[in-house]
Amino acid sequence: MHNEQLILQAPDGYQIAAAIYLPEQTPRGYLHICHGMSEYHQRYDHFARFIAEQGYAVGLHSHRGHGDNAHLNGTPLGYYGPEEGFHKVVTDVDFVIQHLRQTYQLPKPTLLGHSMGSIVVRRYIELYSEHVQSVIIMGTLAHSAIHQIGAVVAKTMAKRYGGDAVASFIDRLSFSGNNRKIKSPRTPKDWLSRDAAQVDRYLDDPYCNYTSTYQFYADFMEGFELASRPSEIAKIRKDLSILCISGSADPIGSYGKGVWKVARTYYTAGISNVTVHLFDDMRHEILNETNNDVIYHTILQWLEKKNEN
């Protein structure tokens, strides 16, 4: 197995940090990963190596305003851009996938999205479902009236204070209650994982432990609402295989209720091949949980099933 770190240039000139992990033999398939909010693609290095060692190519990239992309493009962390940020993040996914497929002669990918990345993937398949073999929606959440209110607040604050202003108010509203079901939490981020070392690693990482901007929240909330519309979900091809996986103790997915709600929207839209796995007691970052080997092998089994032909 070997990997390459790449800098790609999107059609609008934006510089995108990306990576490819390749097995020694011809790849059995291709997995592409879309990371979550306030993180970046290199956090998935251990998982990517594991999948590549099983014979699969793994592609990753950092979203706009995340990881090295902020420095490469001279923007704050947690800032997609001044306009159409979420849409550009979605089209970046297709740009990177097509570039990697053409460069390394890869088949259509299974597309995995975690948390914010799961919303990006949900929008992506509304626009490009013919470009993927299957999808894995991990650590996702259901849209609600609270998110509609958040969108209004974010837009108002962005106009008042500037789009690149740090959104401390919305950040507190969004995450302050996430530890409420954890007895004696050690840190404000214990809801991420039961693995204390992983939580500390997150808190010590300047590419993770920061507050995003008001424009980010305005763009994300707008994209989230769009991705949740039944009229948009109806655009997905009906034979697409979808795996929804999350932890039963994940507050982002409303402890499983939001995950089932998302799955039902696909089934209602006529997509019958929808599978849900909720893993007991796991929190938000199931790839970084104490027993993450269960998740590694669940995803591997999904890849093997989808690539067995």
Side-chain angles (χ1 to χ4, degrees), residues 173-199:
L173 290 178
S174 299
F175 302 111
S176 61
N178 284 354
N179 275 347
R180 66 183 181 277
K181 290 193 176 184
I182 298 174
K183 185 177 181 180
S184 303
R186 189 177 59 91
T187 77
K189 297 293 185 181
D190 277 18
W191 56 274
L192 290 174
S193 172
R194 293 169 297 174
D195 189 328
Q198 289 286 1
V199 173

Side-chain angles (χ1 to χ4, degrees), residues 43-271:
R43 289 193 78 220
Y44 293 76
D45 176 75
H46 188 273
F47 174 63
R49 289 178 182 276
F50 168 80
I51 296 297
E53 287 168 356
Q54 312 310 310
Y56 295 89
V58 182
L60 314 91
H61 69 283
S62 290
H63 301 300
R64 296 185 182 224
H66 291 74
D68 290 330
N69 290 346
H71 173 72
L72 287 170
N73 296 279
T75 69
L77 286 165
Y79 180 73
Y80 287 153
E83 57 185 9
E84 295 187 333
F86 185 83
H87 177 71
K88 290 177 180 177
V89 167
V90 174
T91 58
D92 285 345
V93 176
D94 198 57
F95 165 74
V96 176
I97 286 175
Q98 300 312 323
H99 175 87
L100 295 180
R101 287 192 66 195
Q102 292 169 17
T103 302
Y104 300 97
Q105 301 300 299
L106 301 176
K108 289 183 180 180
T110 288
L111 181 58
L112 182 156
H114 168 67
S115 195
M116 177 196 79
S118 77
I119 309 303
V120 173
V121 167
R122 284 162 57 182
R123 181 57 182 155
Y124 180 92
I125 59 176
E126 293 167 358
L127 300 175
Y128 305 106
S129 64
E130 296 293 340
H131 293 187
V132 295
Q133 182 196 67
S134 66
V135 294
I136 302 173
I137 296 172
M138 184 168 69
T140 201
L141 60 159
H143 192 264
S144 68
I146 293 174
H147 299 109
Q148 291 178 314
I149 295 170
V152 173
V153 172
K155 289 177 183 177
T156 301
M157 294 294 193
K159 289 180 180 178
R160 180 177 298 176
Y161 299 111
D164 59 355
V166 173
S168 301
F169 175 67
I170 293 181
D171 189 76
R172 286 196 302 272
L173 290 178
S174 299
F175 302 111
S176 61
N178 284 354
N179 275 347
R180 66 183 181 277
K181 290 193 176 184
I182 298 174
K183 185 177 181 180
S184 303
R186 189 177 59 91
T187 77
K189 297 293 185 181
D190 277 18
W191 56 274
L192 290 174
S193 172
R194 293 169 297 174
D195 189 328
Q198 289 286 1
V199 173
D200 288 345
R201 199 169 292 128
Y202 183 96
L203 291 171
D204 291 340
D205 192 329
Y207 278 174
C208 293
N209 192 18
Y210 63 86
T211 302
S212 294
T213 63
Y214 282 117
Q215 190 62 50
F216 165 83
Y217 279 106
D219 288 340
F220 174 69
M221 293 298 182
E222 182 178 32
F224 187 14
E225 188 276 328
L226 184 61
S228 304
R229 292 180 191 173
S231 60
E232 297 300 309
I233 294 171
K235 297 175 181 178
I236 302 169
R237 61 182 173 91
K238 306 309 178 194
D239 63 343
L240 182 65
S241 297
I242 300 174
L243 172 63
C244 298
I245 55 174
S246 289
S248 68
D250 179 9
I252 298 299
S254 300
Y255 306 96
K257 293 179 182 178
V259 181
W260 280 107
K261 184 175 181 180
V262 170
R264 282 194 294 270
T265 64
Y266 291 126
Y267 193 80
T268 300
I271 304 168

